[in-house]
Each structure stands twice: as structure tokens, then as C-alpha cells.
């Protein structure tokens, strides 16, 4: 096989690997080569024979080495591939939105916001910005069993981090008098009644499509019971208010659903109450009184939308425009608030910002930008098909934001100190950013001994290149590995297919820990990385990371993504 054909296969395999940050399939590369070079089509059998060898060679290279090799062989390809892109997706139009919208994001203060919340929060915000109008943050805290007092502040902090254009903040716990007023009104209209049946008795009647004895009470009798509820004359579970619906409805959940219940414990942190509105009642009342025009929420709320229509119809209110999106599965992180809280209590997690969790504050600690979360959620959109959340898509959006501004530094995991024989003392000068020389360089003095990753020694060929320094030959002796100076020509390293690896001066480094979702990685980094606390950097050949803090004699960074 000619060198030209093998080189074409190698270039296109590199191009695909750099573009998708993954090893390509043989068929994909062969198809690209045959499409670009039809003169090779008659030699398809030869191509197949060498393809695996080419892929092994590409697999042995790090992502940075792949970019470097592609830049040397086909610079016109690397420039377009590595340019950060921000994909802007247009959300579908909203009906009846031409004159502006009033939308709401309504979290429960049971804990901080997580990725699941971000979808509704961002989509509502995007539509308010598109059509103009008003965005309401409504804290739905009518269930004291699901209220964490600390979450009030955490939710507001997470909203601020997402940069949502909130115009008004409403706490449902401030509106109980309104709910009582409309509860009485609904009862007077015959749309609700007070039920004192035992729960099991009511459930059996409901399933049999039969009315409970309380359903036939007069309005006056119901209002008297309602006043007794407010006066605290019933124990928990003894009485509730139910919305009168259709007992023949095919969905049992629609039949006379509850609107108010009695709770004596736990105590609510913001109010004194024992009659609590349930979600469907309080939401319907608030959406109307606050002038909400459009509601975007998951299709798991479709049944709630149908329940709330009964309340709208009883009062004669105009119904908002509803749009229900499909479920979004998110793998790889914990989203359950109860599980997270228990893990924090037991010491399994460090806090709500532990990077193994799916909270927004965990993403922020890793170095994910709020604009990246926004773009990823808009990409997902409002479709009603169930989907799996794409971490790769989120990382791609974040990479486009941080890559142009992140300084580059070396981080050496599991470092091994080795002297380099016959090497001249010198100072390496590495660019802070390869695409912006104007930002300057960082200096790494070589005085005779280097730290290199232990993993690289185990797979090192005869020659490796210490990035931005020189080439060394690797041999083994009874005492371990031996490095010998082999010149400074980068062309020699390329010709010898030498991997280009990160290193640090053994005499000048900062001990470091890179915290990843799989666990901490001990190593060493450039001392200059300790001057950019709170910022995202790129540890060359490792990935992007956020410098979290610099403790005495140790830097702590959190891995973001490659």
C-alpha cells in the first residue's frame, strides 16, 4: 500500500477523533477517505487491511497529541475543527404570545436547585426574553413536610447564578388568606365540599364511582365545617376540602381530588397554620391572580393541568396556554433531595456542592458556566418526547465558553521524579494560551530533574517529548527508568512517533489534588496555577478544571471535563 493512502487514512482518523473527541469507527474513516479520494476506491481491500493499525496509532495519542499531529499534517482541517462553536437553537413559537407573556418558575424549597429544575427555569426565561413581559419566581412552600428553611436562600442563590431575568418573587406561604378566601368562594359556588370520611372509605367509594356521604351536604353545612377547620376543631386527617368533579371520570385521580388538608406537624418555618392548600388549588389560584399567560412544565403534570381546569371553570377564569415537555433522564449524578440530604448527613457527600451530585452549585464548583447550562437546556427544548440528558452536549457548550479564556498549565498525576542525563540546564517557555500568544508565557526552569506521570512510563516508547522542552530517550535499568537527553528538534519526535507529555521541574512545583467524580487524584502542578483561584484552567493533556482553593502547600482543583 502506498504511503499516500496510509497518510490519508491517518489524517481522516485524526480529524474524526479530534472533532468528536473519541476514537472513530473504521467504516466511518474509510467512507471519508473514499469520498475525498475516489482514486483509492479500487484498493478497498488494502484499506481494510491497514485500518486497524491506523486506529491503534491514533488511540495511543492523547487528545492534545492528536491535535498537534493533525495541525502538522493538515493545518487547514485543524483550524476549523478546534474552533469553539456555540450552537444556538430556536425554540418553537408560543401561541397567543404576540403581546407579551407572563411566566413563572415555581420550585419547592426542599433543597437547592438541580439540573432537573434548570430546564423549566431556563425555558421560561428564554420565552420571556423572546416575547417580552414578566417572569415570576414563585416559591411553592405550602407543604411544611417538604420545606427546608435553608433552601429559601439556596434557591435564590441558584436563580442568581443562572442569571434568570426574574421580575417578581412570590412566596405562597404569604398568601394563605387568599387561598382561604377562594376556598370559601369555591365552596359557596358548589365546586367544593368538606369531607370527613376516613381515607380508606373515601378511596373505596371513589374507585366504585360512588359519592361519599359528605358530597350531599348543603352549602351552608359545608361552610360551617369549613369554619370549624379554620378554627382548629379537627385533628389531622379528620377533614379535608375536595373539589367536586366527575365521579364517572375514567381516571380515578380526577374524581373529587383534595384542595385543602389539615396538618399540625411539622410546624411551618414562616407561618402559623394548620389548614394547608394543596398544590393544584394554590397553583390555579396563583396562576390566575398573578396573570400567568403561559405554563411550561413536564408532562408528568398533565394530570394536574386537567385537575386545575376544574377550578378555572368553576370561577370562570381564562385558562393559560400549557405546554408539557417530555421527561429528561439524567444519569451519573444524584438528583433526589432526600438522598442528597441523607448522604450529606452521613458524611458520604461533602455538601450540596459535592461534584457527584446534580445540583447547580455542584456544576458551578466544577467550573460549568451558567450560559452553558442555558444553551444545553434550550437545545433540549420543549418537545414531548422523553430524552436522556447529554453531558457531552453540556460539556461542548461549556468548552466553547471556557476554552478561549482558560490559561494552560501542567498537572502531573502520580508524579515520578527522574533525572535527565546529559541535558543542558535551560528554561522552557510555554504559552498561557496556544491561540493567543499575546497573553504571554509561563516559565518552567529545567535544572536536571523532572516530574512525569507514572502512567506514561509504563507505556512509553523509546522516545518521549517533554512538552515545550526537549526530547528524551527512555530506557530501563535495575534501578528503574532512565531518561537521556535526545535533542530539541520537534521533527525528530514526530518522526519517532514520540508522545508529547506534560512535566514539571522536580525543584519547583506545587503539590495538588484534582478532585474528580471518581475520586481524588494526587499530583503536582505549576505554582502559577495557585494564583488563579476560582477560575477555570486547562491542565494540558488532562482537561479543564476549576482551581477551588490553595491551602498551605497544596492546591485543590475540581475536574470539569476534557
Amino acid at each position: 500500500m502506498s504511503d499516500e493512502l496510509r497518510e490519508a487514512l491517518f489524517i481522516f482518523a485524526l480529524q474524526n477523533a479530534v472533532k468528536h473527541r473519541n476514537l472513530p469507527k473504521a467504516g466511518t474513516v474509510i467512507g471519508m477517505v473514499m469520498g475525498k479520494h475516489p482514486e483509492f476506491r479500487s484498493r478497498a481491500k488494502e484499506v481494510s487491511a491497514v485500518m486497524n493499525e491506523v486506529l491503534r496509532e491514533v488511540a495511543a495519542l492523547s487528545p492534545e497529541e492528536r491535535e498537534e499531529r493533525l495541525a502538522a499534517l493538515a493545518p487547514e482541517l485543524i483550524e476549523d475543527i478546534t474552533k469553539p462553536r456555540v450552537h444556538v437553537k430556536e425554540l418553537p413559537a408560543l401561541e397567543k404570545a404576540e403581546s407579551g407573556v407572563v411566566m413563572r418558575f415555581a420550585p419547592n424549597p426542599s433543597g437547592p436547585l438541580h439540573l432537573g429544575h434548570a430546564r423549566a427555569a431556563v425555558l421560561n426565561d428564554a420565552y420571556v426574553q423572546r416575547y417580552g413581559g414578566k417572569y415570576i419566581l414563585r416559591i411553592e412552600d405550602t407543604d411544611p413536610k417538604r420545606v427546608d428553611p435553608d433552601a429559601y436562600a439556596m434557591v435564590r442563590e441558584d436563580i442568581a447564578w443562572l442569571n434568570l431575568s426574574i421580575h417578581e418573587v412570590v412566596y405562597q406561604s404569604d398568601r394563605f388568606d387568599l387561598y382561604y378566601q377562594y376556598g370559601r368562594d369555591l365552596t359557596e359556588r358548589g365546586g367544593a365540599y368538606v369531607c370527613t370520611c376516613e381515607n380508606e372509605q373515601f378511596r373505596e367509594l371513589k374507585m366504585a364511582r360512588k359519592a361519599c356521604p359528605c358530597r350531599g351536604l348543603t352549602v351552608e353545612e359545608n361552610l360551617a365545617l369549613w369554619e370549624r377547620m379554620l378554627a382548629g376543631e379537627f385533628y389531622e386527617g379528620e377533614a379535608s376540602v375536595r373539589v367536586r368533579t366527575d365521579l364517572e371520570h375514567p381516571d380515578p385521580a380526577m374524581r373529587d381530588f383534595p384542595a385543602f388538608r389539615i396538618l399540625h406537624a411539622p410546624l411551618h418555618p414562616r407561618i402559623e397554620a394548620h389548614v394547608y392548600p394543596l398544590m393544584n388549588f394554590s397553583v390555579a389560584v396563583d396562576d390566575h391572580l398573578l396573570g400567568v399567560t403561559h405554563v411550561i412544565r413536564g408532562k408528568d403534570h398533565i394530570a394536574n393541568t386537567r385537575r386545575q381546569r376544574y377550578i378555572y371553570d368553576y370561577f370562570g377564569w381564562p385558562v393559560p396556554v400549557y405546554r408539557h415537555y417530555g421527561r429528561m433522564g439524567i444519569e451519573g449524578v444524584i438528583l433526589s433531595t432526600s438522598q442528597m440530604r441523607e448522604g450529606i448527613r452521613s458524611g458520604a457527600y461533602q455538601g450540596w456542592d459535592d461534584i457527584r451530585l446534580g445540583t447547580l452549585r455542584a456544576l458551578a464548583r466544577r467550573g460549568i458556566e451558567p450560559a452553558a447550562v442555558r444553551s444545553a437546556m434550550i437545545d433540549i427544548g420543549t418537545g414531548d418526547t422523553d430524552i436522556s440528558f447529554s453531558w457531552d452536549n453540556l460539556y461542548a457548550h461549556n468548552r466553547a465558553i471556557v476554552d478561549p479564556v482558560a490559561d494552560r498549565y501542567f498537572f502531573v498525576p502520580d508524579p515520578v521524579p527522574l533525572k535527565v542525563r546529559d541535558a543542558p540546564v535551560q528554561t522552557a517557555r510555554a504559552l498561557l494560551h496556544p491561540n493567543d500568544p499575546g497573553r504571554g508565557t509561563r516559565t518552567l526552569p529545567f535544572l536536571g530533574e523532572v516530574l512525569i506521570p507514572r502512567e506514561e512510563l509504563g507505556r512509553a516508547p523509546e522516545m518521549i517529548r517533554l512538552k515545550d522542552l526537549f526530547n528524551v530517550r527512555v530506557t530501563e535499568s535495575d534501578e528503574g527508568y532512565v531518561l537521556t537527553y535526545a535533542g530539541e528538534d520537534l521533527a525528530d519526535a514526530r518522526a519517532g512517533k514520540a508522545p508529547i507529555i506534560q512535566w514539571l521541574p522536580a525543584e519547583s512545583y506545587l503539590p495538588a489534588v484534582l478532585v474528580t467524580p471518581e475520586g481524588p487524584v494526587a499530583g503536582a502542578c505549576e505554582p502559577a496555577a495557585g494564583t488563579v483561584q476560582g477560575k477555570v484552567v486547562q491542565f494540558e493533556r488532562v482537561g479543564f478544571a476549576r482551581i477551588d482553593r490553595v491551602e498551605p502547600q497544596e492546591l485543590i482543583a475540581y475536574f470539569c471535563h476534557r
Side-chain angles (χ1 to χ4, degrees):
M1 178 179 292
S2 66
D3 291 340
E4 292 82 0
L5 182 52
R6 190 187 191 287
E7 183 176 357
L9 288 169
F10 186 66
I11 288 174
F12 279 93
L14 280 175
Q15 180 192 23
N16 191 283
V18 170
K19 182 176 182 179
H20 299 290
R21 291 185 173 262
N22 205 351
L23 193 65
K25 295 181 179 179
T28 301
V29 177
I30 292 173
M32 294 168 65
V33 171
M34 294 308 182
K36 186 72 173 180
H37 299 284
E39 66 273 18
F40 293 148
R41 291 177 183 173
S42 62
R43 306 173 64 185
K45 292 183 179 179
E46 294 180 75
V47 174
S48 299
V50 77
M51 193 67 247
N52 288 338
E53 178 186 339
V54 169
L55 290 179
R56 283 196 297 270
E57 184 175 348
V58 173
L61 301 173
S62 69
E64 291 78 11
E65 290 167 347
R66 292 169 186 171
E67 290 187 15
E68 291 175 355
R69 296 289 292 274
L70 186 59
L73 295 170
E76 71 283 358
L77 296 179
I78 190 67
E79 181 178 353
D80 182 62
I81 291 174
T82 58
K83 187 184 299 181
R85 290 178 173 84
V86 177
H87 174 72
V88 179
K89 184 175 180 180
E90 184 77 6
L91 289 172
L94 284 180
E95 58 270 32
K96 301 181 182 180
E98 297 76 13
S99 300
V101 297
V102 177
M103 308 190 77
R104 46 81 164 175
F105 174 53
N108 181 279
S110 58
L113 300 184
H114 55 64
L115 270 172
H117 295 110
R119 187 177 184 186
V122 166
L123 292 176
N124 280 286
D125 186 64
Y127 278 120
V128 173
Q129 293 192 26
R130 176 172 172 176
Y131 291 108
K134 187 176 182 181
Y135 194 11
I136 299 168
L137 170 63
R138 189 170 70 215
I139 307 297
E140 298 194 342
D141 57 347
T142 60
D143 183 354
K145 295 180 180 179
R146 299 182 62 201
V147 172
D148 177 353
D150 295 334
Y152 287 104
M154 289 191 287
V155 168
R156 296 292 296 269
E157 292 164 0
D158 294 339
I159 291 291
W161 181 79
L162 269 178
N163 295 321
L164 300 181
S165 54
I166 298 296
H167 301 97
E168 182 180 357
V169 180
V170 173
Y171 294 85
Q172 286 193 323
S173 55
D174 293 337
R175 301 168 66 81
F176 272 44
D177 286 344
L178 280 172
Y179 305 140
Y180 296 158
Q181 172 189 330
Y182 281 93
R184 179 183 180 86
D185 192 351
L186 185 61
T187 303
E188 290 176 339
R189 293 169 182 262
Y193 63 94
V194 177
C195 178
T196 56
C197 295
E198 292 183 357
N199 288 334
E200 184 59 29
Q201 177 191 6
F202 181 86
R203 191 191 72 82
E204 291 176 356
L205 291 169
K206 178 180 71 172
M207 298 304 293
R209 292 180 166 87
K210 293 181 180 180
C212 80
C214 307
R215 204 174 197 263
L217 297 176
T218 66
V219 170
E220 290 73 19
E221 289 172 322
N222 277 308
L223 290 177
L225 289 170
W226 170 247
E227 294 301 329
R228 289 180 60 193
M229 286 179 64
L230 293 179
E233 295 183 16
F234 289 103
Y235 292 109
E236 188 170 316
E238 275 194 314
S240 63
V241 176
R242 296 188 176 277
V243 177
R244 193 186 306 271
T245 65
D246 180 7
L247 292 179
E248 296 296 325
H249 197 288
D251 182 359
M254 294 293 126
R255 302 172 195 164
D256 287 17
F257 62 86
F260 289 88
R261 64 175 174 173
I262 296 173
L263 286 176
H264 293 298
L267 299 178
H268 197 288
R270 297 187 83 239
I271 58 170
E272 292 184 9
H274 50 267
V275 176
Y276 286 86
L278 287 152
M279 185 270 289
N280 282 300
F281 186 81
S282 61
V283 163
V285 170
D286 280 339
D287 281 351
H288 171 71
L289 294 181
L290 296 171
V292 172
T293 61
H294 295 74
V295 176
I296 297 178
R297 56 186 180 183
K299 67 181 184 183
D300 54 316
H301 283 285
I302 289 177
N304 290 326
T305 297
R306 293 169 181 157
R307 293 185 186 99
Q308 291 160 29
R309 284 293 299 263
Y310 282 101
I311 298 170
Y312 275 89
D313 290 343
Y314 276 123
F315 285 114
W317 294 337
V319 179
V321 174
Y322 291 95
R323 180 166 291 176
H324 300 94
Y325 51 71
R327 294 176 178 84
M328 182 176 71
I330 305 176
E331 296 183 355
V333 294
I334 302 294
L335 293 178
S336 165
T337 301
S338 59
Q339 289 183 32
M340 288 190 281
R341 180 176 286 106
E342 175 58 28
I344 294 170
R345 187 200 63 77
S346 68
Y349 304 123
Q350 295 176 346
W352 292 108
D353 59 356
D354 189 298
I355 64 172
R356 292 167 291 179
L357 305 179
T359 61
L360 299 186
R361 53 194 58 217
L363 295 182
R365 192 168 197 185
R366 289 174 56 183
I368 300 292
E369 293 290 325
V373 175
R374 181 184 184 89
S375 296
M377 294 304 164
I378 291 177
D379 272 358
I380 292 169
T382 60
D384 59 5
T385 303
D386 294 348
I387 61 164
S388 294
F389 177 75
S390 171
W391 289 100
D392 287 342
N393 187 45
L394 174 63
Y395 296 158
H397 282 294
N398 199 64
R399 191 179 299 112
I401 296 170
V402 301
D403 183 74
V405 298
D407 289 340
R408 271 55 169 173
Y409 296 101
F410 288 152
F411 170 79
V412 178
D414 193 12
V416 177
L418 291 172
K419 292 183 177 181
V420 184
R421 296 178 177 178
D422 305 327
V425 173
Q426 58 183 282
T427 299
R429 288 177 172 80
L431 290 172
L432 274 171
H433 198 290
N435 298 328
D436 189 1
R439 291 171 65 176
T441 60
R442 63 212 206 254
T443 58
L444 296 166
F446 169 73
L447 302 176
E449 189 173 1
V450 296
L451 302 179
I452 63 176
R454 184 180 302 276
E455 185 180 33
E456 298 294 345
L457 288 173
R459 62 188 182 193
E462 292 184 359
M463 178 186 290
I464 60 176
R465 180 172 179 85
L466 304 181
K467 194 173 188 303
D468 299 307
L469 188 60
F470 48 59
N471 308 325
V472 296
R473 295 201 176 277
V474 183
T475 56
E476 286 191 76
S477 68
D478 293 338
E479 299 178 356
Y481 289 96
V482 176
L483 304 184
T484 305
Y485 176 72
E488 301 183 16
D489 195 338
L490 180 59
D492 290 343
R494 288 173 175 164
K497 300 179 181 178
I500 302 174
I501 69 171
Q502 75 273 40
W503 62 281
L504 287 170
E507 301 83 2
S508 176
Y509 66 90
L510 181 61
V513 174
L514 180 62
V515 182
T516 77
E518 293 75 32
V521 178
C525 70
E526 296 180 41
T531 66
V532 290
Q533 183 170 331
K535 294 185 177 180
V536 174
V537 303
Q538 186 185 79
F539 286 141
E540 298 196 54
R541 302 185 72 246
V542 175
F544 292 95
R546 179 182 164 275
I547 307 301
D548 189 73
R549 61 191 185 276
V550 182
E551 298 178 345
Q553 301 302 312
E554 186 177 62
L555 177 145
I556 309 296
Y558 283 80
F559 181 76
C560 189
H561 52 72
R562 293 190 178 276

